[in-house]
Amino acid sequence: SRLAEGTPRRSIQLSNIVEQRVFKDDEIISTPKRGNKKKSTEDADADYSPRKSVQKTPTRPRRISASTKSTATPTHGTVAAAAAASAAPMTPSQKLKKIRSGELSPSMQQRSGKPVDDLLKSKLQLAREQLHVSVVPKSLPCREKEFENIYSFLEGKIQDQCGGCMYVSGVPGTGKTATVTGVIRTLQRLVAQDKLPGFDFLEINGMRLTEPRQAYVQIYKQLTGKTVSWEHAHTLLEKRFTTPAHRRVTTVLLVDELDILCNRRQDVVYNLLDWPTKSAARLVVVTIANTMDLPERLLMGKVTSRLGLTRLTFQPYTHKQLQEIVTARLGGSEAFKGEAVQLVARKVAAVSGDARRALDICRRATEIADTALDKCVTMLHVQQALGEMIASAKVQAIKNCSRLEQIFLQAVAAEVTRTGVEESTFMGVYTQVETIAAFMGVSLPPPGRALRLCAKLGAERLIISEHSRNDLFQKILLNVSTDDIHYALRVGEVGSVN
Amino acid sequence: EPEPAPSPPRNKYQNARRVLNSAETQNLPGREAQLLELREYFTSHLESQTSGSLYVSGQPGTGKTACLSLLLRDPEFSKRLQRVYINCTSIASVGAVYKKLCAELQLKPAGRTERDHLEAIQRHLRTAKRMLLLVLDEIDQLCTTRQAVLYTIFEWPALPGARILLVGIANSLDLTDRTLTRLNARCELKPRLMHFPSYTKQQIVEIFKSRLAEADVLDVFPPVTLQLLAAKVSAISGDVRRALDIGRRVVEIAEQQKRDGEREFNLKALELADGQEKEEPKQDTMKPVQVTQVAAVLNKVYGASQNLEEDIEAAFPLQQKLMLCSLVLMLRNERNKDISMGRLHEVYRRVCAKRNILALDQAEFTGTVDLVETRGILRIMRKKEPRLSKIMLQWDEEEVHAALSDKQLIASILNDTACLNR
């Protein structure tokens, strides 16, 4: 029963990746050798300075032999072997301890070459970089009202030194997270100028957690840098937020993807929203999710009551706003024709109003213009990009099917019109195949082969079929519309039949 | 206790905003009767030195936890009772509640299993010097299929020699009847029930008055606005968290409007004469909040579909409009209300073809329907295949019409029944 409660204990194996991230190439991991103990502590590297001069003896001898072997792996090569003598000795468990206590900061391998200079880039290339989704502008265009709203809420809470919650919702790509982090940055700037009392900023994202309770671990890690189990982290956080402390500063906690944190018990969401109601906590929680009516739809009554009524909805961008966003990204660059931007904005605003989508299509358009060796993105390029990204490849797929597959698809459609029911059995379809094949003068495939056709079409998702083990009685559903089939085959047939 | 405020002088709006916070407080107007009943219950059990259990229920935000934490802090009981408060959402699992209780009582269990902890608690209960007051908040979190833990806890008062006062707090009125039916078999085990009714209008007004009087900002809210706010909240939920929330929101909006007004005023003053010293802003025109401001906030909070209208009209994407219209068309004209994604897509394509608009393909269409679902207009019942998922309209047709605010399009599509039959 002890195992059943909470997260299963994982035995963490350090992969090669972690080692490469944590250590530079020449700092080789090796087990302590009693012979070079003193020497190793003298020239310890900058990242890691051991406190104790005497290395802890590994408790299990089996581990030693395993790790000695791993140090001699060919991945580290000769450099590693040469450096082995002078490197700081650490067993994997010591390394893990360092990582968990936050003493080793994870680092990525640097690339060997230098990045290209900005001056050497073409106009289109620069525009493409500016249009990348990850380049968040300093001030978001078309979100001034929402910015003001969140800003006054957070500023008020920080000045009042009391807790509270806010719920921000809106469909993806409408600038929710960017606006909130923008507000936080502005507030932090004010703190630096001593115009506002200081505050801590923590941030979790429901999608980055394997389990809702890992939220405690992440929050605690951002507070102290240490990684502990979720039970421990929860008790420590509870202690921090419920007991009054003298010099407590306000903490702003941003919870992204709130709906992922909701499980059946909803204990994590409850705790995250209950802590602000404690006067000792001084916690301000800003929650972000997509669904507008999430509190009413998914959360328990007591959690909704704690979430409060301070809510803000981000509406999808209109075409004018999308146009403004793209032109603001482009700056003064003339890589885009005005009407090209407008076409993108109108097409995207008609479907979703997602700014990411608009930026992605613009980037694709620059790529197309690049390959066409044009200096400027015109309407035609944008149209091609739109065709690619809002593509319907199904008609093409039906056209590219083999003759027998096309006959099979026609037969399914015919069976659907005959019976009037969307779902048909293989048997009925096969009878239709027989008829169509006789009509066209094509030789009829035996049912075994027809099953294979059916399985292939099912794998392509042109139809939805069951497993072929219930051969004649398996149910077949059309996954494309009948009009698509007729359209594809009527236009295509002209060439193929005659 | 409020700390000394930071450097800038705070106006009355800010003080009101701070004092209306929904954190715990010292005095609880509107809960005098309940406090008295609880106090009597505790003292009678203290005097007779008998155990007893109590189940406190009520809607969220009716002050259950506030009352009990007030009594837990009471110095009168602190001498005679050992008090333990456990919030059941903060335990790792249902069985771990014993461990938490051991930690709260500072017991030394023999082993590390659940049973050892339970035994340690029961030993303590038999031999304790002081009476124990155990408050279990959000006790519905302890419900399981067998209810072993809840039954064990509620049987402690009947343990020979035990002197424990057990209080369980939850939302549902009939938790003990529904999930702890076996306790009804023995009268001494049956917990005494106590319900916290939702706050009435007058009580909410009292709460506001006492809060505002605390910081001496009673004049920010004229009585009429308080009456309006309290009447609305008590009619809908009677949840004081909501009431305070709305009160705070009103102050925030009033403050923002005042700030905007000042900015305008300053701009005008600059335009008129920039040589003069500005003494006008200094007079601190503290306007009390208006009825219109309160009504606006209440409409925004409680009139869900009305305020959608104004937000949506500009920003409802065309394809989503077409999708919704097709759905309404199908619901209106077909007897079969069982609409799958595939069927809806077929109709939508025909509708688009008639309007000469490029229709989305099925993959995109599924995403579009998902986006509309986030507004709460639809609900999608997921099936194995996206084409088979069922789509259900959650709003009235009239609400959809109002939200789309595109009468011409709706009228033309709804008259177009030819799109339905193949």
Side-chain angles (χ1 to χ4, degrees):
Chain A
S1 68
R2 285 183 60 79
L3 271 180
E5 52 193 59
T7 349
R9 298 258 167 85
R10 262 171 268 141
S11 60
I12 303 168
Q13 294 286 328
L14 256 198
S15 65
N16 203 15
I17 303 168
V18 176
E19 288 183 7
Q20 281 181 355
R21 280 188 172 200
V22 170
F23 303 98
K24 285 169 212 141
D25 263 352
D26 46 347
E27 314 162 354
I28 185 57
I29 308 98
S30 74
T31 49
K33 281 175 195 150
R34 306 206 171 230
N36 59 5
K37 197 191 294 166
K38 271 174 199 162
K39 190 182 170 193
S40 66
T41 47
E42 277 162 18
D43 47 23
D45 52 11
D47 261 4
Y48 159 60
S49 50
R51 255 176 276 151
K52 288 183 286 183
S53 59
V54 182
Q55 285 294 337
K56 207 204 277 174
T57 11
T59 44
R60 268 173 292 176
R62 208 153 32 92
R63 272 282 207 44
I64 297 184
S65 61
S67 47
T68 14
K69 253 180 231 162
S70 75
T71 53
T73 42
T75 48
H76 294 292
T78 48
V79 189
S86 62
M90 248 202 296
T91 59
S93 64
Q94 283 173 322
K95 198 194 312 165
L96 269 180
K97 207 189 258 172
K98 291 260 174 225
I99 292 171
R100 260 178 283 165
S101 65
E103 288 170 46
L104 282 176
S105 50
S107 60
M108 290 271 278
Q109 203 175 345
Q110 293 288 318
R111 72 176 64 177
S112 48
K114 273 186 184 168
V116 186
D117 203 326
D118 267 0
L119 296 173
L120 299 176
K121 287 173 187 162
S122 73
K123 204 168 61 180
L124 272 177
Q125 234 170 338
L126 283 172
R128 188 151 63 232
E129 278 173 16
Q130 277 304 305
L131 285 171
H132 198 278
V133 181
S134 66
V135 187
V136 181
K138 283 211 176 65
S139 70
L140 285 181
C142 310
R143 286 294 177 220
E144 291 83 11
K145 222 174 74 195
E146 286 82 0
F147 185 94
E148 183 65 29
N149 201 325
I150 300 174
Y151 177 84
S152 61
F153 172 79
L154 281 178
E155 192 201 22
K157 290 290 171 204
I158 291 169
Q159 273 180 350
D160 289 358
Q161 312 210 315
C162 61
C165 316
M166 183 172 198
Y167 177 69
V168 177
S169 66
V171 292
T174 47
K176 300 181 295 292
T177 314
T179 309
V180 175
T181 43
V183 171
I184 299 278
R185 253 182 282 124
T186 315
L187 290 171
Q188 278 168 341
R189 219 173 299 136
L190 281 183
V191 170
Q193 294 165 6
D194 274 339
K195 287 180 183 163
L196 199 72
F199 67 96
D200 286 342
F201 174 58
L202 313 174
E203 182 182 19
I204 56 171
N205 185 328
M207 285 294 231
R208 297 216 184 102
L209 308 171
T210 52
E211 214 238 354
R213 284 159 165 181
Q214 290 294 316
Y216 303 135
V217 179
Q218 288 304 318
I219 295 171
Y220 187 69
K221 194 176 177 186
Q222 289 182 32
L223 277 173
T224 61
K226 294 188 178 67
T227 309
V228 293
S229 75
W230 73 262
E231 286 107 333
H232 195 199
H234 174 241
T235 2
L236 291 169
L237 286 174
E238 183 109 352
K239 199 185 278 170
R240 180 190 157 98
F241 289 131
T242 51
T243 52
H246 190 53
R247 304 292 299 166
R248 169 81 30 93
V249 290
T250 309
T251 314
V252 179
L253 171 64
L254 171 62
V255 182
D256 214 339
E257 313 286 357
L258 179 74
D259 42 341
I260 310 293
L261 291 177
C262 300
N263 46 5
R264 203 176 53 80
R265 272 187 78 196
Q266 306 199 349
D267 51 341
V268 178
V269 200
Y270 177 89
N271 279 320
L272 290 182
L273 297 176
D274 193 38
W275 285 330
T277 65
K278 309 272 195 291
S279 53
R282 290 208 187 148
L283 181 66
V284 187
V285 181
V286 181
T287 51
I288 300 181
N290 289 345
T291 322
M292 228 157 95
D293 55 347
L294 180 89
E296 282 74 29
R297 193 197 289 193
L298 202 63
L299 299 177
M300 292 179 188
K302 52 189 176 191
V303 182
T304 310
S305 171
R306 282 172 173 76
L307 184 58
L309 297 167
T310 314
R311 300 191 186 166
L312 178 65
T313 308
F314 279 65
Q315 295 298 337
Y317 289 114
T318 60
H319 68 92
K320 279 192 193 125
Q321 291 173 327
L322 283 176
Q323 202 177 338
E324 201 174 313
I325 289 169
V326 174
T327 29
R329 287 289 186 110
L330 288 170
S333 158
E334 282 159 18
F336 262 86
K337 283 266 190 333
E339 68 264 20
V341 176
Q342 196 172 358
L343 179 63
V344 173
R346 282 195 183 267
K347 280 282 182 186
V348 172
V351 177
S352 59
D354 183 341
R356 286 187 205 123
R357 189 74 181 274
L359 292 174
D360 280 343
I361 292 176
C362 289
R363 273 170 57 81
R364 181 65 199 138
T366 59
E367 280 167 11
I368 291 169
D370 235 1
T371 42
L373 299 175
D374 284 339
K375 289 268 183 294
C376 182
V377 181
T378 60
M379 286 279 260
L380 291 175
H381 300 137
V382 166
Q383 222 141 27
Q384 198 182 333
L386 282 166
E388 280 174 16
M389 295 189 82
I390 311 182
S392 106
K394 278 195 170 150
V395 172
Q396 209 54 42
I398 297 169
K399 274 188 190 166
N400 290 339
C401 280
S402 73
R403 279 312 303 283
L404 280 178
E405 283 164 2
Q406 287 175 346
I407 289 173
F408 194 91
L409 280 174
Q410 277 176 310
V412 179
E415 182 71 4
V416 169
T417 24
R418 189 181 72 84
T419 57
V421 192
E422 281 185 50
E423 203 175 66
S424 41
T425 60
F426 181 81
M427 203 155 30
V429 172
Y430 190 71
T431 330
Q432 296 285 345
V433 172
E434 264 177 337
T435 322
I436 296 173
F439 180 73
M440 292 185 144
V442 190
S443 68
L444 180 74
R449 239 176 58 223
L451 275 176
R452 211 154 83 199
L453 296 177
C454 178
K456 184 161 172 284
L457 289 171
E460 280 176 345
R461 308 312 273 165
L462 288 176
I463 60 174
I464 299 165
S465 62
E466 288 180 327
H467 196 277
S468 343
R469 75 166 80 83
N470 6 327
D471 38 18
L472 285 182
F473 301 104
Q474 70 163 304
K475 302 207 168 52
I476 295 172
L477 265 167
L478 217 51
N479 201 21
V480 289
S481 101
T482 39
D483 302 347
D484 272 346
I485 297 176
H486 294 314
Y487 175 74
L489 300 185
R490 199 187 55 236
V491 178
E493 247 171 3
V494 183
S496 62
V497 166
N498 300 339
Chain B
E1 278 180 38
E3 279 207 349
S7 46
R10 301 170 59 85
N11 61 26
K12 286 197 166 179
Y13 284 140
Q14 286 166 326
N15 284 334
R17 196 179 63 196
R18 179 197 266 179
V19 88
L20 289 177
N21 66 351
S22 38
E24 60 248 48
T25 51
Q26 295 299 322
N27 54 341
L28 293 169
R31 285 290 168 240
E32 292 88 2
Q34 279 79 10
L35 273 173
L36 196 67
E37 193 183 337
L38 282 171
R39 212 179 273 276
E40 270 171 12
Y41 180 79
F42 290 161
T43 32
S44 72
H45 276 279
L46 267 174
E47 275 158 15
S48 63
Q49 287 290 311
T50 50
S51 314
S53 54
L54 175 71
Y55 173 69
V56 177
S57 64
Q59 290 298 305
T62 47
K64 307 176 294 294
T65 310
C67 279
L68 280 155
S69 54
L70 194 70
L71 287 177
L72 283 172
R73 286 195 302 262
D74 198 324
E76 183 199 334
F77 294 123
S78 68
K79 280 170 277 174
R80 305 158 73 186
L81 277 170
Q82 185 178 15
R83 299 148 306 165
V84 172
Y85 172 86
I86 293 179
N87 191 328
C88 296
T89 38
S90 64
I91 51 173
S93 71
V94 174
V97 67
Y98 304 133
K99 192 176 166 191
K100 176 107 178 175
L101 186 53
C102 273
E104 294 282 341
L105 292 171
Q106 294 167 341
L107 301 180
K108 297 268 181 308
R112 296 179 64 190
T113 63
E114 216 172 85
R115 179 185 292 246
D116 293 326
H117 287 287
L118 179 57
E119 274 166 10
I121 292 168
Q122 289 181 341
R123 209 178 321 117
H124 172 81
L125 286 179
R126 284 199 203 91
T127 59
K129 295 200 184 69
R130 275 201 294 171
M131 203 158 175
L132 176 66
L133 170 60
L134 173 60
V135 178
L136 293 170
D137 204 348
E138 311 291 357
I139 204 170
D140 49 343
Q141 292 278 333
L142 294 182
C143 290
T144 50
T145 46
R146 287 185 56 217
Q147 315 284 13
V149 175
L150 266 184
Y151 274 123
T152 316
I153 290 175
F154 273 95
E155 279 165 9
W156 283 340
L159 212 65
R163 289 174 303 158
I164 175 174
L165 265 178
L166 181 70
V167 183
I169 307 178
N171 292 135
S172 62
L173 190 63
D174 56 343
L175 182 94
T176 48
D177 297 334
R178 203 159 25 87
T179 62
L180 300 171
T181 42
R182 290 211 313 259
L183 292 181
N184 289 333
R186 284 167 64 192
C187 278
E188 74 269 23
L189 283 181
K190 223 168 118 177
R192 179 171 158 182
L193 301 184
M194 185 171 169
H195 185 63
F196 274 57
S198 302
Y199 284 107
T200 60
K201 176 183 163 190
Q202 201 48 45
Q203 283 171 330
I204 293 179
V205 172
E206 288 304 317
I207 292 171
F208 266 90
K209 279 188 177 160
S210 98
R211 287 285 184 104
L212 294 172
E214 245 175 66
D216 196 24
V217 284
L218 206 52
D219 49 339
V220 173
F221 277 90
V224 192
T225 57
L226 280 186
Q227 295 281 342
L228 173 65
L229 197 161
K232 189 83 179 182
V233 174
S234 65
I236 287 171
S237 61
D239 172 346
V240 78
R241 277 198 207 107
R242 303 219 141 184
L244 292 173
D245 238 12
I246 294 171
R248 232 171 21 231
R249 198 90 195 115
V250 169
V251 179
E252 274 168 18
I253 285 171
E255 191 188 353
Q256 200 167 344
Q257 283 179 356
K258 184 191 161 215
R259 209 191 300 153
D260 291 348
E262 263 174 24
R263 195 178 298 158
E264 227 164 76
F265 180 80
N266 284 348
L267 280 177
K268 271 187 194 154
L270 277 177
E271 275 172 21
L272 285 174
D274 29 6
Q276 285 176 4
E277 199 59 30
K278 278 179 281 174
E279 61 248 43
E280 283 89 357
K282 288 276 193 286
Q283 65 194 2
D284 191 26
T285 46
M286 245 300 305
K287 266 199 291 184
V289 297
Q290 312 283 309
V291 174
T292 48
Q293 286 170 331
V294 178
V297 173
L298 284 172
N299 274 340
K300 189 134 184 138
V301 168
Y302 284 122
S305 53
Q306 291 144 3
N307 68 51
L308 274 181
E309 250 174 80
E310 56 184 56
D311 289 343
I312 279 179
E313 56 180 337
F316 219 111
L318 177 67
Q319 303 284 1
Q320 299 182 7
K321 276 188 192 173
L322 288 169
M323 190 275 291
L324 271 177
C325 287
S326 315
L327 183 63
V328 172
L329 174 72
M330 286 176 85
L331 282 173
R332 198 183 254 195
N333 291 303
E334 290 189 3
R335 228 180 307 156
N336 182 7
K337 306 293 179 203
D338 202 24
I339 294 173
S340 68
M341 188 82 78
R343 274 201 333 138
L344 179 60
H345 187 225
E346 302 270 296
V347 173
Y348 154 85
R349 278 167 52 118
R350 274 183 229 122
V351 167
C352 282
K354 273 269 184 75
R355 309 256 133 19
N356 251 331
I357 297 170
L358 188 67
L360 302 173
D361 78 328
Q362 198 182 303
E364 287 270 344
F365 185 72
T366 314
T368 309
V369 178
D370 277 344
L371 289 184
V372 178
E373 194 198 14
T374 63
R375 291 183 189 258
I377 305 177
L378 304 174
R379 191 101 343 142
I380 304 175
M381 242 165 68
R382 311 270 163 191
K383 291 283 163 64
K384 212 164 61 185
E385 293 291 335
R387 196 178 166 83
L388 304 180
S389 0
K390 294 271 175 301
I391 297 167
M392 287 161 295
L393 194 65
Q394 298 289 309
W395 282 10
D396 268 346
E397 238 180 72
E398 279 79 48
E399 280 179 302
V400 176
H401 287 195
L404 291 182
S405 66
D406 194 343
K407 287 218 174 67
Q408 266 184 315
L409 183 75
I410 301 173
S412 85
I413 291 181
L414 289 188
N415 288 330
D416 208 351
T417 41
C419 294
L420 284 173
N421 28 14
R422 33 189 83 225

